Amino acid sequence: MKDRPLRCWAEIDGSALRHNLSVVRSRIPQETKLVAVVKANAYGHGLVPVARELVKGGADVLGVSNVEEAAELRAAGLGTTPILLLSACLPGEFPMAIECRAWPTISTYEEAKRLNAAAQKSGQRAIAHFKIDTGMGRLGLWGAEAVKELKRAERLPAVDIEAVCTHFSSADEDPERTEAQWAELMRWRPHFAEKALHVANSATLWRKTVYACSFVRVGLALYGLPPMPFLRRLLRPVMSWKTRVTLLRHLCAGRTVSYGATYLLRKAQRLATLAVGYGDGYFRALSNRAQVLVRGNRCRIRGRVTMDQTVVDVTSTTGCKVGDEVVLLGAQGDQVIHAEELARIAGTIGYEIVTAVGSRVPRIYREFHSLPQGGGAPVKSKTRRTGSRQSRSSSSEEGLRESSRNIRSPHP
Ligand SMILES: *Cc1c(COP(=O)(O)O)cnc(C)c1O
């Protein structure tokens, strides 16, 4: 049963990833360190393969949300690249942060004290980055209070606070607010003048504040999603998401399609059933509204997206056959569907579209240059597949799976 076709899969394009990395690099000063943000399974693209490729391409630091993700990177053989934790650690997570040599982002003396205790217990020193709130309202304290906590934290014997950072709430939509946040940070800057600084996410790369910083933290742009619409032409989407036609039928006028019978055929149509649904992360909010690409044509979704299946209208698509490849996200012929398009329809942002692609969807890695786990021999094929279907593959490919959550055991 090895050669059975894929039903629904995501192709991850290493050359697009490298292209975007070089676009980001070209925006920042040479000495600025690039924190490549790979949290949430690299925005759905696959944590380990993407992290490896970005490190090979010159990313200086990997940014993840939490210690679980940091441990996964370390276990996959990414042993030396620094890791920055972007979310706050739970009290019980500091020992693991130290074990993984990850840098927690801390906001308070309380957290610094816990980190210090864990560091002393392990006989190691810990590095932390200290966050100040300037308007994001998620981590960090404001102004004088933050500075007071920072000064206390700096006296702890086993913790080195190597950078101070903040996060913009509206970098992609409100330059004035972003300026005000920067001004607030600069107001307190004299209290930590000697410390490294970082503020920028993808949207801020195109602002001059990046030049005052030692690090930038970039996710979205690396995956080829534009933080602002004008950047669309500069970046190449890394993920293409595909499925297949599982069934074709002619339905006559008066028939209805899918749950709730929300679509009524006014005239006869040829309908294709696809192997994708919200169980794969294809949002139900796309029901009756989004389009897919079949044989280079845009075809409309008819009726509600269900958990595993979705119906589209292929009446004007000649030659459509069962088994045809269907593009949900990406290019086919001269048509392309970007994450922004689905995001607009679903009332969300491109981040959520790609991050939501489910664990049932295997990721297929194309044009990746990085080596498998442990720096072993390069894999011969240009295409690597991860996910459950790969579980019988050779041990050299073991390390190519992006997430243990995404695979079944080779020997159940
Ligand atoms: C996710 C995240 C980033 C990356 O943001 P993008 O918009 O994807 O570039 C940067 N900083 C912090 C604190 C984050 O949580």
Side-chain angles (χ1 to χ4, degrees):
M1 300 304 285
K2 234 173 132 183
D3 297 321
R4 70 189 191 275
L6 292 163
R7 293 176 67 84
C8 183
W9 69 100
E11 294 173 7
I12 311 299
D13 179 351
S15 70
L17 189 62
R18 290 190 297 277
H19 167 83
N20 299 333
L21 183 62
S22 72
V23 169
V24 168
R25 262 287 173 227
S26 72
R27 291 297 312 170
I28 61 177
Q30 208 165 19
E31 63 280 8
T32 304
K33 291 205 167 15
L34 175 63
V35 182
V37 179
V38 293
K39 63 194 181 193
N41 200 26
Y43 294 39
H45 294 66
L47 175 64
V48 168
V50 166
R52 265 199 204 110
E53 193 70 12
L54 290 170
V55 166
K56 185 159 195 284
D60 302 290
V61 179
L62 291 167
V64 298
S65 169
N66 57 56
V67 289
E68 305 293 337
E69 294 171 336
E72 199 170 331
L73 290 172
R74 292 299 186 226
L78 282 148
T80 54
T81 310
I83 296 176
L84 177 63
L85 304 177
L86 298 166
S87 298
C89 287
L90 289 165
E93 289 177 330
F94 288 108
M96 184 140 152
I98 287 162
E99 198 179 316
C100 295
R101 286 158 288 115
W103 305 339
T105 296
I106 60 174
S107 309
T108 61
Y109 175 66
E110 186 73 28
E111 292 167 280
K113 224 169 46 179
R114 289 193 189 108
L115 179 62
N116 185 67
Q120 285 184 321
K121 199 166 172 202
S122 73
Q124 287 167 283
R125 298 189 65 76
I127 293 172
H129 287 200
F130 194 86
K131 183 150 275 183
I132 296 192
D133 192 2
T134 57
M136 177 63 187
R138 185 172 66 177
L139 296 179
L141 302 170
W142 276 82
E145 201 185 355
V147 167
K148 201 174 96 204
E149 302 264 316
L150 171 62
K151 293 295 163 197
R152 288 179 74 195
E154 278 184 308
R155 289 195 290 270
L156 290 165
V159 173
D160 297 319
I161 295 173
E162 291 200 338
V164 171
C165 54
T166 196
H167 193 52
F168 295 129
S169 66
S170 318
D172 52 350
E173 49 192 358
D174 189 342
E176 268 172 46
R177 188 176 286 272
T178 306
E179 269 321 306
Q181 283 194 252
W182 175 254
E184 170 67 12
L185 184 68
M186 287 303 104
R187 192 177 147 210
W188 301 100
R189 178 65 169 149
H191 296 281
F192 43 84
E194 74 293 355
K195 292 238 185 289
L197 212 58
H198 53 91
V199 301
N201 60 359
S202 293
T204 325
L205 286 178
W206 279 266
R207 304 183 60 78
K208 59 183 185 304
T209 45
V210 301
Y211 294 100
C213 293
S214 328
F215 299 84
V216 292
R217 311 181 301 257
V218 184
L220 195 71
L222 294 175
Y223 305 106
L225 276 70
M228 282 87 73
F230 77 93
L231 295 167
R232 178 70 278 164
R233 62 185 175 79
L234 271 185
L235 302 166
R236 284 172 50 194
V238 175
M239 180 191 289
S240 301
W241 187 8
K242 300 181 178 180
T243 182
R244 287 189 202 281
V245 174
T246 54
L247 188 70
L248 275 169
R249 291 161 314 138
H250 280 283
L251 261 68
C252 59
R255 302 289 191 229
T256 59
V257 181
S258 192
Y259 288 122
T262 59
Y263 186 76
L264 168 69
L265 274 75
R266 293 186 190 289
K267 51 184 193 214
Q269 285 180 15
R270 194 161 196 240
L271 296 176
T273 304
L274 311 180
V276 66
Y278 60 79
D280 304 289
Y282 196 72
F283 293 149
R284 190 167 172 277
L286 299 169
S287 297
N288 277 313
R289 301 178 66 199
Q291 301 178 344
V292 304
L293 306 179
V294 185
R295 299 201 168 234
N297 278 336
R298 282 184 168 263
C299 299
R300 295 186 168 280
I301 291 177
R302 301 302 194 198
R304 287 198 183 135
V305 171
T306 71
M307 189 180 287
D308 314 300
Q309 305 182 83
T310 298
V311 177
V312 298
D313 181 357
V314 292
T315 309
S316 47
T317 301
T318 47
C320 180
K321 288 193 176 59
V322 167
D324 272 0
E325 194 170 296
V326 175
V327 169
L328 308 168
L329 202 58
Q332 195 184 59
D334 55 11
Q335 291 291 326
V336 54
I337 295 174
H338 288 301
E340 305 92 274
E341 177 179 332
L342 297 187
R344 187 173 28 76
I345 295 169
T348 181
I349 51 178
Y351 294 82
E352 195 182 9
I353 298 292
V354 289
T355 307
V357 174
S359 56
R360 186 163 67 177
V361 180
R363 272 59 166 179
I364 311 291
Y365 295 90
R366 296 193 190 286
E367 308 281 343
F368 270 57
H369 286 171
S370 51
L371 300 178
Q373 182 173 4
V379 170
K380 278 150 231 129
S381 152
K382 274 195 163 179
T383 300
R384 298 156 183 185
R385 178 182 287 184
T386 69
S388 56
R389 298 194 62 251
Q390 194 188 306
S391 44
R392 285 153 246 92
S393 61
S394 71
S395 63
S396 74
E397 283 188 317
E398 295 279 299
L400 296 173
R401 299 169 186 159
E402 80 284 31
S403 159
S404 54
R405 286 185 296 280
N406 224 2
I407 56 172
R408 288 180 217 130
S409 157
H411 308 290

